Amino acid sequence: VQLQASGGGLVQPGDSLRLSCVGSGRSFSSSGMGWFRQAPGKERDIVASINWNGGNTYYSDSVKGRFTISRDLGKNAVYLQMNSLKPEDTAVYYCAARAPGYKVVHTAQGSYDYWGQGTQVTVSS
C-alpha cells in the first residue's frame, strides 16, 4: 500500500501550486484523507482533511480561503490546490489516509494509517 505525493516546487509569493497524491495497493474510497505539512524546526501539522466522499472538509486557520482539498474516488487520489502562497507556507507536504471505514475528517496525525513520502513546497522571492 502506497501513497505517492507530487506537485511541489519553488514558487514566488502569490503563486499557485496543485499537489496530488495517488494511492496504490488498495482503495481509499472509504477513508478520510488529509494533507499535513512540516516546516523546518517545527512539528508536522494538519493543513486540510476531507471525508470519504468529499462532502465534508476541514482547513487549518492559516490556509482557510486559500487552499482547497478535493478527491477523485475513481483515481484513488486526493489533491490540494494552493493559491496565494506565502513564504510561511514553505514546508514539506505529506498526504495521509485513514484506515478503511474511517470515513470522516480528522485533524490528528495518529488517526491516519498511511502516509506519502512528502513533497517540498518552497515559497520565496
Side-chain angles (χ1 to χ4, degrees), residues 1-6 20-29 31-36 44 71-72 75-79 93-99 112-119:
V1 179
Q2 189 176 18
L3 291 171
Q4 182 70 40
S6 63
S20 299
C21 175
V22 180
S24 61
R26 64 150 283 229
S27 171
F28 292 103
S29 62
S31 301
M33 299 188 75
W35 286 96
F36 292 76
R44 188 161 58 183
R71 67 187 301 168
D72 185 327
K75 295 182 178 180
N76 213 26
V78 64
Y79 308 99
Y93 283 71
Y94 298 89
C95 61
R98 304 189 70 191
Y112 292 81
D113 294 89
Y114 305 96
W115 291 84
Q117 84 285 7
T119 183

Side-chain angles (χ1 to χ4, degrees), residues 27-73:
S27 171
F28 292 103
S29 62
S30 67
S31 301
M33 299 188 75
W35 286 96
F36 292 76
R37 68 185 181 186
Q38 186 168 21
K42 296 187 177 181
E43 295 184 350
R44 188 161 58 183
D45 290 326
I46 182 74
V47 175
S49 178
I50 189 167
N51 75 330
W52 71 281
N53 67 355
N56 191 27
T57 56
Y58 165 87
Y59 297 95
S60 67
D61 288 343
S62 61
V63 307
K64 199 173 296 182
R66 300 187 297 121
F67 291 11
T68 302
I69 188 171
S70 61
R71 67 187 301 168
D72 185 327
L73 295 177

